[in-house]
Amino acid sequence: MNNNSSRTDEQETLIQYEYIDKLKDIISDKSNRLGRKLTYNVTTFGCQMNARDSEKLRGILDKVGYVRTESEDADFVIYNTCTVRENANNKVYGRLGYLHSLKKKNPNMIIALCGCMMQEEVVISKIKESYSFVDLIFGTHNIFKFPELLYNAIQSEDMIIDIWKDTTRIVEKLPTSRKYAFKSGVNIMFGCNNFCSYCIVPYVRGRERSRKPDEIIDEIKELVSDGVKEVMLLGQNVNSYGKGLEEDIDFAKLLRRVNDIEGLERIRFMTSHPKDLSDELIEAMADCKKVCQHLHLPLQSGSSEILGKMNRHYSKEDYLALVDKIRDKMPDIALTTDIIVGFPGETEEDFLETMDVVKKVEFDSAFTFIYSKRTGTPAAAMDNQVPEDVIKDRFDRLLAEVQSIGRSKAETYTGSIQSVLVENVNSQDDSLISGRMSNNSIVHFPGDESLIGSIVDVKLTECKGFYYIGELDG
Ligand code: 5AD
Ligand code: SF4
């Protein structure tokens, strides 16, 4: 439970590389003995932040000599877990049973768990009690120790558990293995200080810590020289980037610096909190030509009273005024959002306020969530939890509204020419390739594999609701 504070962040990087070297020998010996390569599988639950963390896990596993497989019938299996809603936890427990059956057949198998769910004490107790076949558990704050922990797990017969309560550390320059050659997430900050009353993230991801701007810029330059065209700047609340750093920097300034990187073509970021979205940021977004025409701006609720209880620090009117300000500077920007239905005490009137904001803003799309009670958060102790059938009814009405608005918004782009970053060959029809527009919508169009990773102009010939069919322009 200590956080190895005797090591500096720089020493830590070197120490972990030493473990990587030791692991290389061990893995090579093992695979020589078995007469085959050892395989690994990383399964990710949850958000983009977890997806990026999984790339760090894969970077290390690739380096030490494991071979990646999509099957969970592998020699090393790790679940990078999420705990933002209860069903995320349930999925993990469900799948652990299946892993146990695989482990019985493969005595070499090592099973590891990491990520947000592991930061909860109740989860650790449950795993110790009911899933004793798990070999290694670590959390969100010490993921950089993965080489050392993997080394220990291989050497030990016992379950290894290393969970830190919080950290101030940022360990740089460990290997990563990207999912896409042409785009990448880039962490700019970790943790969250907002304590929205329903949300478990601040408890499992710790306090806000920003990476130094030079480290971020260097990482992006390196990615660009390795073929990356698009970056997604990642943080739980990117709008408060820079607080606590010595440099005179905030998110707007960082965005301008990233925009100046030669060879980079597109910039996205996630997630923005409405309360911290500054005028300077709106200016920077409008000025920076590489910043995509898309902003994800979680609303959570349209009722000022519920927003107060959620500890969001803005009202319905503040949110609507912010949207006006953004659209005033960037009329073509696509707006997407997150909405929670059934927060404790939500009345029909409160819900109708949410519907009202949805109709007024006309979001291009919205992720809608049923409120999930997270033990330890202030909302879990609130009275007036909304009955399930009422929530379900509101959820269905909200979803229908969101989808109908999304469809008609999408339709307005039909016939236009859009720049598209080609991502893959279509899985159902290999004469088509698929890519993303600046506003994050997907378009499928005739073309071949050689275009993957390039940005091309595509005419949108047909809108299929939430995606398009198109053709190369020119
Ligand atoms: N219940 C339902 N949805 C939640 N979210 C966060 N916590 C909860 C919860 N307890 C949603 C929010 C957030 C998104 C990532 O997940 O809408 O923006
Ligand atoms: Fe959770 Fe609120 Fe932080 Fe987002 S800003 S991670 S919803 S506490």
Side-chain angles (χ1 to χ4, degrees), residues 84-85 198-199 298 300 338-340 369-372 374:
V84 77
R85 285 170 291 275
Y198 50 82
C199 186
Q300 312 301 4
D338 292 342
I339 300 171
I340 298 174
F369 302 107
I370 286 179
Y371 167 73
S372 171
R374 306 313 288 121

Side-chain angles (χ1 to χ4, degrees), residues 10 39 41 43 73 96 162 212 216 220 243 247 251-252 278 280 300 312 334 345 350-351 372 410 420 422 424 430 459:
E10 290 73 21
T39 55
N41 176 269
T43 299
D73 191 1
L96 273 176
D162 191 4
K212 292 194 176 99
I216 297 169
I220 299 176
K243 286 186 188 148
E247 291 90 340
F251 186 54
S278 65
E280 290 74 24
Q300 312 301 4
R312 292 288 289 176
D350 292 319
F351 173 69
S372 171
V420 170
V422 184
N424 50 269
D430 64 8
K459 181 167 183 180

Side-chain angles (χ1 to χ4, degrees), residues 192-196 198-202 236-237 273 300 312:
C192 181
N193 287 356
N194 288 322
F195 291 95
C196 300
Y198 50 82
C199 186
I200 202 162
V201 168
Q236 247 79 41
N237 179 15
H273 193 306
Q300 312 301 4
R312 292 288 289 176

Side-chain angles (χ1 to χ4, degrees), residues 203-221:
Y203 305 90
V204 298
R205 285 268 174 187
R207 297 293 64 72
E208 275 177 19
R209 285 151 290 144
S210 292
R211 281 178 77 194
K212 292 194 176 99
D214 288 347
E215 295 280 2
I216 297 169
I217 300 295
D218 286 352
E219 181 180 347
I220 299 176
K221 283 183 177 161

Side-chain angles (χ1 to χ4, degrees), residues 45-48 82-88 91 198-199 201 270-271 296-302 306 310 312 336-344 346 351 354 358 365-374 386-388 390-400 402-403:
F45 298 84
C47 65
Q48 311 252 12
C82 169
T83 187
V84 77
R85 285 170 291 275
E86 185 67 31
N87 57 1
K91 267 191 228 162
Y198 50 82
C199 186
V201 168
M270 184 161 270
T271 295
H296 186 68
L297 193 62
L299 166 69
Q300 312 301 4
S301 168
I306 295 292
M310 286 178 161
R312 292 288 289 176
T336 59
T337 200
D338 292 342
I339 300 171
I340 298 174
V341 178
F343 183 83
E346 184 190 72
F351 173 69
T354 300
V358 165
S365 77
F367 295 102
T368 49
F369 302 107
I370 286 179
Y371 167 73
S372 171
K373 188 172 171 175
R374 306 313 288 121
V386 184
E388 232 172 84
V390 175
I391 298 186
K392 181 79 179 63
D393 173 63
R394 288 180 193 162
F395 182 84
D396 291 347
R397 281 150 67 202
L398 176 66
L399 191 63
V402 157
Q403 290 188 338

